[in-house]
Amino acid sequence: MIDTAAQILCELIRIESISANSNLDIIAYIERALAAAGVTSRRVPSADGNKASLLATIGPADKPGIVLSAHTDVVPVDGQTWTVPPFGGVIRDGRVYGRGATDMKGFLAVVLAAVPRLKQAATIAPVHLCFSYDEEVGCRGAPDLVRALMQSVVPPALAIVGEPTTMRVVRAHKGKVARRITVTGRTGHSAMPHRAANAVDAAAAIAYALRSLADEEIARGGDTAFDPPFTTIHVGSLHGGSAVNLVPERAVLEYEIRTMPGRSAGDILARIDGLVDRERDRLRATAPEADIVSEEISAYPGHDIRADHAATLLIGRLADDPQPATTVAFGTEAGLYGQAGIPTLVCGPGDMARGHKADEWIGLDELEAADAMMVRLADLLRRPGEHWMQTGGAHGDD
Ligand SMILES: [Zn+2]
């Protein structure tokens, strides 16, 4: 079984599904793999048709089932020094090397290898396979995929997002909103700033105000299950101006907010919009054509499910993780499944510490551990009337 998963993983790595590319090749590969096992799937395409998510239900769609979620895209390898071909799919010393080995084609390969077994087992309750695009650039594919899932099946009883957690059960992570603010003022000689509108000045005022908001969040405090235990607001880039004797007419600032689960980014964004309005008015006092435009770069919700929720405990048993469920610093698509009302946990093979890096790898033993979870999952599907089947839609966040 593990040979099959490793073989599939090598083939998946060889398809260069970095987020900047179309992912239709890897989707076609997965479609063929599912079809070979007698499983039909359907695409949920992006608006421009260049990408697609894939959705497949194995077993009865009119019963609450279990979602297995993975993303098909990987981050680029630009500027990294690899000692193996990043898209070669090489097995060496008990490890599979390549971009995406850990994040997260390893889980995807284990799921695909397990499909024949899941198909045999899923007679009473279904398994839903949900494979998205563009997770690495802000969970862009998953919202439509989750919608398509919820429209086509009875609300699932639980979801496993197989991001690399070394098979620990993860119950919560922060949400994120990233935005770009573009300030357009009016240029002029620096001796006559009163006839110009200084875009850098406005951007700096916004950056300074963001720091005050960040300090407020620190003071508000939060949950020590997270590091740091508060919502963070951070300016990632600020560009503008070209010469000291010219009033800059353009400045671009990028910032992000990482919210504690339960803390709404909307409140903070509304206040930022208010200070953007104030700065726009200031610029327009001398330059009516001036403007400040905010655009979203990426966003995904936080996620939180109780450590003692039935779904959390069940996934703990499936993953053979005896420790209390934990939290992670990175974001996932779990919040989107959670928002749809599905009790969702993050649990998968590999270590995110190896993700996004040169010589990314996953151990065959790690694939083995994930495969063991699929075996336990298949056993669970065969048992009628289990408690987990009654909990569909009962979301356990707090
Ligand atoms: Zn990932």
Side-chain angles (χ1 to χ4, degrees):
M1 200 62 190
I2 208 59
D3 291 345
T4 311
Q7 189 56 41
I8 292 172
L9 176 54
C10 290
E11 291 172 12
L12 290 172
I13 288 169
R14 288 176 199 136
I15 306 171
E16 286 187 39
S17 58
I18 55 173
S19 313
N21 296 346
S22 166
N23 76 331
L24 295 182
D25 287 346
I26 194 167
I27 290 297
Y29 174 95
I30 299 167
E31 280 172 337
R32 285 196 302 274
L34 294 175
V39 171
T40 54
S41 54
R42 71 182 171 104
R43 295 186 183 196
V44 183
S46 64
D48 64 7
N50 275 332
K51 300 185 180 187
S53 296
L54 200 68
L55 180 55
T57 290
I58 304 173
D62 61 345
K63 297 282 188 329
I66 297 177
V67 176
L68 299 176
S69 151
H71 60 83
T72 60
D73 60 320
V74 294
V75 296
V77 295
D78 305 322
Q80 297 181 341
T81 308
W82 286 65
T83 64
V84 292
F87 300 103
V90 177
I91 303 177
R92 185 197 290 167
D93 302 330
R95 296 172 171 182
V96 181
Y97 283 89
R99 172 55 83 231
T102 261
D103 184 14
M104 60 175 292
K105 290 178 171 177
F107 180 75
L108 182 52
V110 166
V111 170
L112 292 179
V115 162
R117 188 196 297 134
L118 294 172
K119 188 162 181 261
Q120 229 178 20
T123 51
I124 297 161
V127 173
H128 309 291
L129 307 184
C130 293
F131 303 138
S132 68
Y133 63 88
D134 278 2
E135 189 274 346
E136 296 288 6
V137 287
C139 299
R140 290 192 195 146
D144 283 348
L145 175 59
V146 174
R147 234 185 324 273
L149 170 73
M150 296 306 282
Q151 281 165 2
S152 60
V153 303
V154 161
L158 58 107
I160 301 172
V161 176
E163 292 276 4
T165 64
T166 62
M167 297 305 290
R168 292 292 326 278
V169 176
V170 168
R171 60 170 194 85
H173 62 72
K174 291 179 180 177
K176 180 175 125 170
V177 179
R179 279 192 176 181
R180 181 181 301 114
I181 290 179
T182 304
V183 184
T184 308
R186 180 195 288 173
T187 190
H189 195 291
S190 59
M192 286 184 253
H194 62 298
R195 291 187 196 155
N198 192 321
V200 166
D201 208 47
I206 292 168
Y208 184 73
L210 289 174
R211 197 178 75 176
S212 304
L213 292 179
D215 287 343
E216 274 183 38
E217 294 301 323
I218 294 170
R220 176 191 283 258
D223 182 346
T224 50
F226 290 88
D227 179 24
F230 44 80
T231 294
T232 56
I233 302 170
H234 136 103
V235 175
S237 69
L238 174 51
H239 298 282
S242 58
V244 74
N245 59 354
L246 267 184
V247 176
E249 69 175 337
R250 185 181 149 86
V252 180
L253 177 155
E254 292 180 340
Y255 71 93
E256 67 167 36
I257 307 169
R258 288 183 183 255
T259 47
M260 295 290 288
R263 174 86 172 104
S264 160
D267 300 349
I268 302 167
L269 290 169
R271 290 180 66 190
I272 296 172
D273 287 344
L275 61 99
V276 164
D277 289 345
R278 197 184 68 209
E279 290 303 317
R280 188 189 294 108
D281 289 346
R282 266 177 75 107
L283 292 170
R284 284 183 174 170
T286 52
E289 76 277 21
D291 203 2
I292 305 180
V293 176
S294 289
E295 58 189 311
E296 189 171 282
I297 302 169
S298 66
Y300 56 78
H303 183 65
D304 192 11
I305 183 168
R306 290 194 324 270
D308 63 350
H309 191 286
T312 310
L313 301 175
L314 176 62
I315 306 281
R317 290 200 296 279
L318 291 180
D320 195 24
D321 177 8
Q323 302 171 78
T326 184
T327 69
V328 284
F330 59 87
T332 76
E333 296 173 339
L336 295 161
Y337 289 94
Q339 277 185 343
I342 310 172
T344 301
L345 284 305
V346 186
C347 181
D351 189 339
M352 196 55 116
R354 289 178 232 136
H356 300 203
K357 292 199 179 128
D359 289 350
E360 180 177 347
W361 59 273
I362 193 164
L364 294 177
D365 56 335
E366 293 176 307
L367 296 175
E368 191 90 58
D371 185 62
M373 178 163 77
M374 292 301 126
V375 171
R376 288 186 283 266
L377 175 62
D379 287 344
L380 181 79
L381 290 171
R382 289 197 191 93
R383 275 182 252 146
E386 281 275 316
H387 170 68
W388 64 268
M389 274 200 264
Q390 330 299 330
T391 61
H395 188 217
D397 70 355
D398 50 12

